[in-house]
Amino acid sequence: MVANRQLAVRCADVDKFYGKGGARTQALHGCSLEACMGEILMLVGPSGCGKTTLLSVIVGILDTDAGDIEVFGEHVHAMNAAQKARFRRKNVGFAFQQFNLLPTLSAVENAALPLLIAGEPRRKAMQRAGDMLSTMGMPEKLDKLPRELSGGQQQRVAFSRALVHEPRLVVCDEPTSALDGKTGEAVMQQLRKVALRADRAVIVVTHDPRIYHHADRIAQMEDGHIVQVTMPGDANHPQGIRH
């Protein structure tokens, strides 16, 4: 564990298989990893190396076939489906490559969805979502539909939706792959400014080296294995780090 930081996620010897019989393939091979509060941990590597699978088993969307995972001290894989869903609603915020915004809802309505789903009164949910979008630098875009927003603005709405319910873990799957370099840099700067704090962990899955310098640590994956975890200043830290 990173010195003096509280552990958020612990994966120990995690295996994951897909398919059955002769079509069975192993997606994760004995993956062990820790993520700490107050850091951005990036899972990096080529497409198909297991990054998204590992992220999905960490939050309990996929089951493991072997190994152990704890999130905030809870054994998520010992929970039933309803318990996992409740745990995610309370503790996890998601942001995705394709944004996944509902096209008929405004920016503020999209950002408010986790609160509305959790039963928050609409007026209060909309106020909190509006405040989050303003913090993300979009106070004038609250009533805009997704089609009226640029790609970078849509990603900021997606980040706002991921953060509005104050999750302890934020997971981002390829958040900049659909953006140009300048826009991707801007939204990552905003994510770090708004999301990163001592009582929250942020895990970013990416194969975009343009954003590596936003990581506190980088876990490199190849063929379902974590081959190394590095920090800025390490000799093997991936190129692109500019702390």
Side-chain angles (χ1 to χ4, degrees):
M1 185 174 68
V2 179
N4 301 320
R5 284 189 178 171
Q6 181 183 355
L7 193 63
V9 175
R10 183 186 68 85
C11 304
D13 301 317
V14 173
D15 290 344
K16 175 63 182 176
F17 293 86
Y18 290 118
K20 296 180 179 179
R24 195 178 196 219
T25 59
Q26 188 165 3
L28 299 177
H29 300 258
C31 289
S32 295
L33 183 68
E34 293 180 346
C36 299
M37 299 298 233
E39 74 167 349
I40 292 181
L41 172 68
M42 287 191 184
L43 292 174
V44 310
S47 296
C49 71
K51 305 185 301 295
T52 297
T53 296
L54 180 55
L55 192 69
S56 297
V57 299
I58 286 172
V59 298
I61 293 173
L62 293 176
D63 292 326
T64 60
D65 291 295
D68 185 45
I69 295 177
E70 292 181 39
V71 182
F72 306 121
E74 299 277 353
H75 292 271
V76 178
H77 291 273
M79 301 176 184
N80 62 35
Q83 290 169 332
K84 288 178 183 177
R86 284 194 296 270
F87 182 85
R88 285 193 295 269
R89 282 199 300 269
K90 180 180 179 181
N91 294 288
V92 184
F94 296 90
F96 303 96
Q97 175 181 356
Q98 299 301 327
F99 316 138
N100 292 346
L101 303 180
L102 296 182
T104 59
L105 298 185
S106 67
V108 69
E109 288 170 331
N110 268 287
L113 279 175
L115 299 176
L116 296 171
I117 291 170
E120 191 89 8
R122 181 177 176 83
R123 184 173 180 179
K124 185 176 180 180
M126 297 291 279
Q127 179 64 53
R128 288 176 61 182
D131 290 345
M132 181 58 66
L133 282 168
S134 296
T135 301
M136 279 286 177
M138 295 181 57
E140 76 288 358
K141 302 292 185 181
L142 304 188
D143 296 325
K144 299 294 185 181
L145 295 174
R147 67 173 180 271
E148 299 174 297
L149 301 174
S150 68
Q153 290 168 343
Q154 289 183 55
Q155 187 58 280
R156 290 182 190 220
V157 176
F159 284 155
S160 297
R161 182 184 56 197
L163 295 167
V164 72
H165 59 299
E166 296 289 320
R168 291 189 288 168
L169 175 63
V170 177
V171 295
C172 306
D173 193 359
E174 302 287 2
T176 61
S177 292
L179 305 175
D180 62 67
K182 182 178 179 180
T183 303
E185 173 65 19
V187 298
M188 285 302 299
Q189 287 179 358
Q190 199 70 29
L191 177 69
R192 187 171 187 93
K193 177 182 177 182
V194 175
L196 193 61
R197 62 192 200 191
D199 61 347
R200 177 182 287 148
V202 181
I203 302 177
V204 177
V205 163
T206 185
H207 65 273
D208 183 357
R210 301 171 301 179
I211 66 169
Y212 286 1
H213 61 284
H214 289 288
D216 295 292
R217 291 188 302 140
I218 289 185
Q220 293 179 269
M221 293 191 70
E222 293 180 10
D223 299 324
H225 299 271
I226 294 176
V227 295
Q228 64 176 358
V229 180
T230 58
M231 299 176 66
D234 291 351
N236 293 325
H237 205 58
Q239 292 182 354
I241 299 297
R242 301 193 301 273
H243 280 273

